[in-house]
């Protein structure tokens, strides 16, 4: 009885917060419970299929989330009729496949779950875009929803089926979290920017975290310079560079490009001037040409794509494939090796030809040999651009104009390689550690 009361109370809360979402959940819930009970009975038999299905659903949502940054940075909005059409198409495909995959589970209820997930996503996105649902209230909604699942689980003694919904719900939360981007910027950057970057007392703290991830960071990167950011994992390097495309908006301080505060620049205009090659390379489920062309601000010609691939040291490999440029890369380019993926990302950045370049552990997926190969393409990419490079291998930063050492969100040392070694501080000890490893 107590459990039921809890459920009712929570339902009232949910209804109050967003009746549209609650209605969907109310419809989904009984069906899920039913599906889940069928599910449980046949769990053993369909276990293998379930695992791959879950993985696929998670993959679909993840690709949507990760892909977002790529879409944003390369301004893919226009090409995606809607930036979520992509995820939706994948969800639909998932639903279709799930529905036809296994006769052990009623195809209808599987289809229903997939469609409800899509519906929750759609409604949440819609409301978020309308400004009717803030990230905060969506978080609260999800928290309450999470709580409601608990008693329901006990009531029905069914866990497994729910798990899938919850995982998806969590992913949706992350998706919505990064969704409606405030764009108060009015200024347009001209075509020819100098590419000076300045961080002024940048301080940031993530919600729900006790300590500052960035603490009064001030740094100037002059046009054309290469500055290397070095520091232990978790020291705030990625967060710092993420303030430039405004993936992260610092709580205090400002980030400037030339004389403009990035906050005052239109996102579209801002990101046109940035190229990013990051740790986790995100590729779309298309051909090699599609993925490289994605970087281009106009429709890249085949020749331009070939040139970019050549500069990234990948053309020879692509030409050796039977389908060449039109080879499908598979989901997140799973058909390619880590090194090939990274070189593809470099080609994508090259074709964008932006004056500011951010390399966030761009060679982390490479072994020493392929890193040496990519190094040349990276140097070509860096030439004449303002570059911020985060490298996990210190050998790749030795040539930088300036090395900046971050520790717990603060700049603790800066200088040239030899000077920092002579100082015998954190850089020297990181360097020695690295040296021993290699
Ligand atoms: N979105 C986030 N929410 C909360 N904490 C985060 C988020 N992103 C990063 N962090 C935390 O901030 C710290 C710095 O992360 P990061 O900038 O990625 O470091 P680095 O790139 O130097 O390894 C880490 O402790 C990380 O766990
Ligand atoms: Mg990082």
């Amino acid at each position: 009885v107590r459990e039921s009361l809890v459920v009712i109370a929570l339902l009232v809360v949910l209804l109050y917060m967003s009746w549209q979402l609650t209605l969907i959940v109310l419809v989904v819930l009984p069906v899920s419970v039913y599906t889940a009970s069928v599910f449980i009975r046949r769990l053993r038999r369909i276990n293998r299929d379930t695992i791959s299905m879950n993985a696929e659903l998670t993959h679909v949502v993840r690709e949507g989330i990760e892909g977002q940054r790529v879409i944003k940075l390369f301004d893919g909005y226009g090409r995606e009729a809607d930036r979520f059409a992509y995820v939706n198409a994948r969800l639909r495909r998932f639903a279709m496949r799930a529905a036809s995959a296994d006769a052990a589970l009623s195809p209808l209820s599987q289809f229903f779950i997939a469609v409800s997930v899509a519906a929750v996503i759609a409604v949440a996105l819609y409301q978020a875009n309308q400004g009717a649902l803030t990230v905060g209230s969506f978080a609260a909604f999800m928290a309450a929803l999470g709580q409601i699942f608990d008693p329901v689980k006990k009531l029905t003694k069914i866990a497994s089926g729910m798990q899938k919904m919850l995982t998806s719900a969590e992913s949706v939360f992350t998706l919505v979290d990064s969704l409606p981007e405030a764009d108060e910027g009015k200024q347009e950057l001209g075509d020819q920017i100098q590419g000076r970057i300045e961080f002024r007392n940048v301080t940031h703290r993530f919600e729900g975290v006790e300590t500052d991830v960035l603490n009064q960071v001030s740094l100037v990167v002059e046009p054309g310079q290469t500055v290397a950011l070095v520091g232990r994992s978790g020291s705030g390097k990625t967060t710092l560079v993420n303030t430039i495309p405004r993936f992260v908006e610092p709580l205090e301080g400002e980030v400037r490009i030339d004389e403009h505060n990035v906050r005052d620049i239109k996102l579209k205009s801002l990101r046109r001037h940035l190229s990013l090659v990051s740790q986790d390379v995100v590729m779309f489920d298309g051909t090699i040409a599609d993925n490289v062309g994605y970087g281009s601000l106009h429709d890249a010609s085949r020749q331009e794509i070939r040139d970019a691939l050549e500069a990234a040291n990948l053309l020879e490999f692509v030409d050796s494939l039977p389908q060449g440029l039109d080879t499908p890369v598979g989901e997140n380019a799973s058909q390619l090796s880590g090194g090939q993926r990274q070189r593809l990302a470099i080609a994508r950045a090259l074709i964008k030809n932006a004056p500011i370049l951010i390399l966030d552990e761009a060679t982390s997926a490479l072994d020493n040999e392929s890193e040496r190969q990519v190094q040349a393409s990276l140097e070509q990419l860096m030439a004449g651009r303002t570059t911020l490079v985060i490298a996990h291998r210190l050998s790749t930063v030795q040539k930088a104009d300036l090395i900046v050492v971050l520790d717990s969100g603060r700049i603790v040392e800066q200088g040239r390689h030899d000077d920092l070694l002579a100082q015998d501080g954190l850089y020297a000890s990181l360097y020695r550690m690295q040296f021993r490893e290699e």
Side-chain angles (χ1 to χ4, degrees):
V1 181
R2 213 186 127 252
E3 307 277 66
S4 330
L5 283 179
V6 173
V7 171
I8 290 166
L10 282 170
L11 271 180
V12 173
V13 175
L14 287 179
L15 273 171
Y16 174 74
M17 284 194 297
S18 169
W19 61 268
Q20 294 98 324
L21 283 181
T22 310
L23 280 186
I24 295 178
V25 171
L26 277 184
V27 180
V28 171
L29 211 58
V31 180
S32 319
V33 167
Y34 169 76
T35 313
S37 64
V38 179
F39 199 81
I40 287 288
R41 255 179 280 138
R42 304 179 181 181
L43 194 60
R44 214 158 285 141
R45 246 171 54 204
I46 60 167
N47 202 17
R48 261 188 49 202
D49 289 345
T50 315
I51 289 168
S52 69
M53 258 174 46
N54 266 328
E56 188 171 352
L57 182 57
T58 313
H59 170 85
V60 166
V61 180
R62 235 188 51 144
E63 193 177 47
I65 295 163
E66 289 173 358
Q68 263 205 80
R69 285 197 169 164
V70 176
I71 295 171
K72 284 175 188 168
L73 200 73
F74 290 109
D75 194 32
Y77 299 110
R79 270 157 290 183
E80 322 271 316
D82 167 340
R83 57 187 141 154
F84 295 103
Y86 188 77
V87 186
N88 278 338
R90 296 297 306 276
L91 269 173
R92 206 158 39 235
R93 211 196 296 173
F94 165 78
M96 299 297 284
R97 220 184 284 170
S100 60
D102 201 298
L105 246 182
S106 148
L108 253 183
S109 24
Q110 277 195 32
F111 185 75
F112 189 84
I113 286 196
V115 169
S116 340
V117 172
V120 172
I121 295 177
V123 172
L125 293 182
Y126 179 75
Q127 292 198 329
N129 275 334
Q130 299 296 305
L133 184 71
T134 63
V135 171
S137 59
F138 191 76
F141 183 87
M142 280 302 160
L145 191 58
Q147 298 215 342
I148 212 170
F149 274 121
D150 238 299
V152 165
K153 263 191 244 170
K154 285 186 201 140
L155 275 176
T156 57
K157 295 202 177 68
I158 295 164
S160 276
M162 293 291 160
Q163 213 52 48
K164 194 197 292 181
M165 286 294 296
L166 272 179
T167 319
S168 325
E170 263 170 31
S171 313
V172 176
F173 172 39
T174 324
L175 192 62
V176 170
D177 192 12
S178 52
L179 232 195
E181 292 188 289
D183 187 7
E184 269 113 51
K186 306 244 172 348
Q187 297 172 8
E188 297 267 0
L189 289 176
D191 275 345
Q192 297 299 322
I193 68 162
Q194 292 203 294
R196 180 179 187 272
I197 307 171
E198 178 174 3
F199 300 94
R200 277 193 201 164
N201 299 315
V202 172
T203 296
H204 189 64
R205 178 178 291 207
F206 287 110
E207 226 169 293
V209 180
E210 301 259 306
T211 52
D212 290 339
V213 56
L214 295 173
N215 194 318
Q216 299 282 327
V217 174
S218 294
L219 173 68
V220 175
V221 188
E222 296 296 346
Q225 261 195 345
T226 297
V227 168
L229 292 173
V230 172
R232 297 190 186 93
S233 149
S235 53
K237 305 180 295 289
T238 299
T239 309
L240 184 65
V241 298
N242 275 345
T243 60
I244 302 172
R246 280 171 52 195
F247 291 151
V248 171
E249 307 248 5
L251 292 182
E252 288 169 36
E254 48 189 61
V255 181
R256 298 185 158 260
I257 289 185
D258 290 356
E259 67 279 20
H260 309 277
N261 187 328
V262 292
R263 248 185 229 185
D264 302 329
I265 306 171
K266 278 196 185 136
L267 278 180
K268 208 176 156 143
S269 175
L270 170 68
R271 290 172 181 167
R272 262 189 53 191
H273 294 88
L274 309 173
S275 259
L276 172 73
V277 182
S278 74
Q279 217 161 346
D280 16 67
V281 174
V282 175
M283 292 292 159
F284 296 98
D285 198 354
T287 66
I288 289 178
D290 292 341
N291 272 291
V292 175
Y294 210 91
S296 166
L297 295 170
H298 55 279
D299 281 325
S301 70
R302 305 278 287 188
Q303 191 53 47
E304 283 172 296
I305 291 174
R306 289 181 64 82
D307 291 345
L309 284 169
E310 176 155 37
N313 236 318
L314 202 61
L315 190 60
E316 206 175 314
F317 164 75
V318 172
D319 279 341
S320 76
L321 299 167
Q323 287 170 273
L325 281 182
D326 301 312
T327 308
V329 296
E331 281 168 8
N332 202 14
S334 52
Q335 308 300 320
L336 306 178
S337 75
Q340 288 162 346
R341 265 212 298 279
Q342 228 143 14
R343 278 180 275 171
L344 206 52
I346 291 171
R348 185 166 67 189
L350 266 167
I351 215 167
K352 185 168 179 183
N353 196 18
I356 294 175
L357 174 66
I358 300 166
L359 302 172
D360 188 351
E361 309 203 1
T363 54
S364 59
L366 307 180
D367 55 42
N368 279 334
E369 177 51 33
S370 10
E371 185 178 18
R372 253 190 297 280
Q373 286 178 13
V374 175
Q375 198 61 37
S377 19
L378 276 182
E379 272 163 27
Q380 173 149 5
L381 182 56
M382 286 157 66
R385 299 171 214 274
T386 309
T387 308
L388 262 173
V389 53
I390 302 174
H392 66 305
R393 278 182 205 138
L394 291 173
S395 59
T396 55
V397 304
Q398 286 175 16
K399 288 187 209 150
D401 297 305
L402 179 70
I403 299 170
V404 173
V405 186
L406 275 181
D407 195 29
S408 308
R410 291 168 197 268
I411 296 183
V412 291
E413 286 171 18
Q414 49 185 311
R416 303 285 302 238
H417 175 71
D418 293 334
D419 303 332
L420 288 177
L421 274 191
Q423 272 185 34
D424 201 22
L426 183 56
Y427 181 79
S429 82
L430 286 170
Y431 181 77
R432 277 194 300 268
M433 233 156 58
Q434 197 67 41
F435 202 64
R436 226 178 293 137
E437 271 172 28
E438 276 174 7

